[in-house]
Amino acid sequence: MHQLTVIVPLYNEEENLLRVEQKLGEYAEKSSVPTQILLVNDGSTDESLKMVREICERSEHFSYISFTKNAGLSAAIKAGIDHVSTSLTGYIDSDLQTDPEDFEVLLKEINNYQLVNGYRNQRKDSFKKNLSSTVANNVRNFFTKDGMYDTGCPLKIMHTDYAKRIPFFKGLHRFLPAMIMLQGGKVIQIPIRHYPRIAGTAKFGLRNRLIKPLIDCFGYLWMKRNYIHYEVGEKHLK
């Protein structure tokens, strides 16, 4: 039977962490597969780390790792994946603009795909944020041909063995479906619910959504050309 670890990267999210504890704790109690929550503190400078420690002391469902300084979202996801020991790895943002209960929608497809990606078909963000994300997704699609029109959606489930083989660089969190496909894995996107941010502040601006992703596309193309993928047909090891 599958087991799931949900990675929750966070940076200066003290205003959201009690909601994270409540919502993800409730989901872990009733999930269709045994589920644990891994909080990844990306060098927060507010009270986030203190609150994370308290949450993990209160609840058996939560554990955490904490960076000594801010390293970025890709590093936080990579560190989470490195510490996962369950067969499935999930990802959700700490702003909870997506609903943990929608992991159940993704789990229905996980036996047939190596990555199930949510997509926010009715986004509750500002016009500028929606427009910049649409443009960025179209640019990434042009380079990756992965067919994803919301690859940055912060609700995903992956088979952990595929996730651990992804060679991360800064910005690669935008290319997770494409990197699964490079390994010969199958991906699918499923509509999920989306909500406005009700606490904290967004960590990405126009530059993060447009200029940096365009630059990262060239890094992805280099990796695609040089990516090593093999399948062992037989072995005898001692």
Side-chain angles (χ1 to χ4, degrees):
M1 181 180 180
H2 284 306
Q3 292 182 311
L4 171 67
T5 298
V6 176
I7 298 169
V8 188
L10 61 103
Y11 175 67
N12 290 349
E13 290 285 0
E14 61 182 5
E15 296 176 23
N16 276 313
L17 281 173
L18 291 181
R19 290 179 59 239
V20 167
E21 179 183 16
Q22 177 188 356
K23 297 287 287 184
L24 282 160
E26 289 174 354
Y27 175 69
E29 288 285 348
K30 60 185 178 183
S31 172
S32 60
V33 301
T35 297
Q36 58 193 62
I37 315 300
L38 177 58
L39 304 174
V40 183
N41 176 43
D42 185 15
S44 296
T45 57
D46 62 0
E47 294 296 307
S48 291
L49 178 55
K50 176 177 179 291
M51 295 182 69
V52 162
R53 292 185 184 124
E54 293 170 351
I55 289 169
C56 292
E57 288 175 0
R58 283 195 295 263
S59 175
E60 63 180 359
H61 298 299
F62 288 83
S63 57
Y64 79 95
I65 56 178
S66 183
F67 292 171
T68 57
K69 60 181 180 180
N70 180 249
L73 181 57
S74 288
I77 295 174
K78 165 66 172 167
I81 291 172
D82 287 344
H83 287 80
V84 167
S85 58
T86 54
S87 61
L88 297 177
T89 298
Y91 160 54
I92 190 171
D93 274 353
S94 55
D95 59 20
L96 293 183
Q97 286 191 254
T98 52
D99 194 326
E101 292 188 5
D102 282 345
F103 277 122
E104 292 299 301
V105 180
L106 307 189
L107 283 168
K108 292 177 181 178
E109 301 290 343
I110 199 59
N111 287 330
N112 300 314
Y113 297 89
Q114 281 65 53
L115 181 145
V116 183
N117 198 95
Y119 79 85
R120 300 159 287 185
N121 61 336
Q122 294 182 346
R123 290 188 64 170
K124 306 301 182 182
D125 290 321
S126 67
F127 173 79
K128 184 171 74 171
K129 185 175 180 180
N130 286 339
L131 179 61
S132 62
S133 293
T134 298
V135 172
N137 274 302
N138 287 337
V139 169
R140 280 192 294 270
N141 257 319
F142 176 80
F143 282 90
T144 64
K145 314 296 184 190
D146 61 11
M148 296 284 122
Y149 35 83
D150 192 11
T151 188
C153 177
L155 197 78
K156 296 176 170 64
I157 294 181
M158 302 168 278
H159 285 259
T160 301
D161 54 345
Y162 278 76
K164 286 183 180 293
R165 290 195 293 265
I166 296 175
F168 270 75
F169 58 78
K170 288 183 179 180
L172 196 70
H173 62 274
R174 304 180 180 98
F175 299 89
L176 293 177
M179 294 307 301
I180 296 293
M181 292 171 68
L182 277 185
Q183 300 178 50
K186 296 191 298 180
V187 304
I188 189 174
Q189 51 194 348
I190 304 293
I192 60 164
R193 293 169 290 181
H194 190 246
Y195 306 95
R197 176 186 268 270
I198 64 173
T201 57
K203 308 304 186 291
F204 291 92
L206 190 61
R207 183 182 183 276
N208 302 99
R209 294 194 182 93
L210 292 179
I211 300 174
K212 182 65 166 59
L214 177 60
I215 297 171
D216 291 341
C217 284
F218 294 99
Y220 165 78
L221 289 180
W222 178 89
M223 185 173 291
K224 182 178 181 180
R225 286 195 300 269
N226 295 278
Y227 184 75
I228 296 173
H229 176 64
Y230 63 88
E231 296 181 7
V232 175
E234 187 174 332
K235 60 183 177 182
H236 178 75
L237 302 175
K238 294 183 179 180

